[in-house]
Amino acid sequence: MKKNYKLSKMKHTKFKTFVFAAIIALGLSACTTTVEPLDPSINLNSFSNIVGTYAMTAFNTSVPTDLNNDGTASTNQMTETTCFNGNTLAIFANNTFTATGKGLEINMTETTSTIECYTDPDITGTWAIVGNVLTLTYTDGGFPYTEAFVFSGNNTLTYTEEQGEVVGMTSANEPVYLTSKIDIVYKK
């Protein structure tokens, strides 16, 4: 009996193709990862929910300060001064952003030091989001910067700096720069 090598070879080739396709499919499914948000209320399938204008609502520090000299120190510098009022962060659908730059600084002369508000020019740049981390990239004064914000499902962006610099007061009511953890909160 003569064996049909052509048919046998074709069956063998089909079997090898099926096995190869099965291995590829299993391999791809094993490599597939699903990015899950830390906050389940965030819809990662639609980044349009991050687009919008956010207002700064808190400038929290780990070191309480009494910038307004009312005798009550606060960890939210926005309750101590109006210098941060009106700060906004606008996130646009074309992956760009604009941020205002208002804050406070110490103005030192030969004889005195005072706290003064400042307004810097707006900062513009690009943004990207992975999971619930919004990354802003921009250039300021010729230097590149990247800042990461955590986006939570309640339309809140929070920027954290572990070792930031804030303005405080000495026991003699002299302004001084202090090292502090900073959490800046923006809400849409």
Side-chain angles (χ1 to χ4, degrees), residues 8-24:
S8 175
K9 187 175 180 183
M10 192 178 346
K11 284 182 184 177
H12 185 68
T13 302
K14 283 183 182 178
F15 178 74
K16 282 179 21 182
T17 303
F18 172 77
V19 170
F20 180 71
I23 289 171
I24 294 295

Side-chain angles (χ1 to χ4, degrees), residues 10-62:
M10 192 178 346
K11 284 182 184 177
H12 185 68
T13 302
K14 283 183 182 178
F15 178 74
K16 282 179 21 182
T17 303
F18 172 77
V19 170
F20 180 71
I23 289 171
I24 294 295
L26 286 173
L28 289 177
S29 68
C31 294
T32 302
T33 58
T34 303
V35 176
E36 293 292 329
L38 297 176
D39 183 343
S41 64
I42 299 171
N43 178 5
L44 293 179
N45 295 323
S46 173
F47 294 121
S48 63
N49 59 351
I50 200 163
V51 172
T53 300
Y54 296 78
M56 183 189 290
T57 58
F59 190 104
N60 296 320
T61 62
S62 60

Side-chain angles (χ1 to χ4, degrees), residues 59 61 63-69 73-74 77 80 104-106 113-115 165-180:
F59 190 104
T61 62
V63 177
T65 58
D66 185 15
L67 300 174
N68 60 5
N69 291 316
S74 174
Q77 289 204 348
E80 294 291 323
L104 70 153
E105 62 189 358
I106 300 173
S113 295
T114 57
I115 298 174
E165 191 174 70
V166 298
V167 175
M169 301 294 282
T170 66
S171 58
N173 281 333
E174 290 292 321
V176 63
Y177 286 109
L178 306 169
T179 300
S180 175

Side-chain angles (χ1 to χ4, degrees), residues 2 14 45 59 63 86 105 110 130 132 142 182 187-188:
K2 189 174 178 188
K14 283 183 182 178
N45 295 323
F59 190 104
V63 177
E105 62 189 358
E110 289 181 25
V130 176
N132 67 334
I182 301 171
K187 290 195 178 206
K188 184 163 45 165

Side-chain angles (χ1 to χ4, degrees), residues 21-147:
I23 289 171
I24 294 295
L26 286 173
L28 289 177
S29 68
C31 294
T32 302
T33 58
T34 303
V35 176
E36 293 292 329
L38 297 176
D39 183 343
S41 64
I42 299 171
N43 178 5
L44 293 179
N45 295 323
S46 173
F47 294 121
S48 63
N49 59 351
I50 200 163
V51 172
T53 300
Y54 296 78
M56 183 189 290
T57 58
F59 190 104
N60 296 320
T61 62
S62 60
V63 177
T65 58
D66 185 15
L67 300 174
N68 60 5
N69 291 316
D70 67 354
T72 305
S74 174
T75 55
N76 185 352
Q77 289 204 348
M78 289 187 77
T79 63
E80 294 291 323
T81 178
T82 59
C83 292
F84 297 103
N85 291 1
N87 267 327
T88 59
L89 173 59
I91 307 293
F92 302 109
N94 65 353
N95 290 84
T96 63
F97 77 90
T98 299
T100 57
K102 299 178 182 183
L104 70 153
E105 62 189 358
I106 300 173
N107 183 16
M108 293 183 222
T109 65
E110 289 181 25
T111 57
T112 61
S113 295
T114 57
I115 298 174
E116 294 183 359
C117 297
Y118 68 82
T119 300
D120 282 342
D122 289 353
I123 296 171
T124 59
T126 59
W127 66 268
I129 189 163
V130 176
N132 67 334
V133 177
L134 172 72
T135 302
L136 304 181
T137 304
Y138 60 96
T139 301
D140 187 25
F143 296 98
Y145 293 93
T146 301
E147 311 288 350

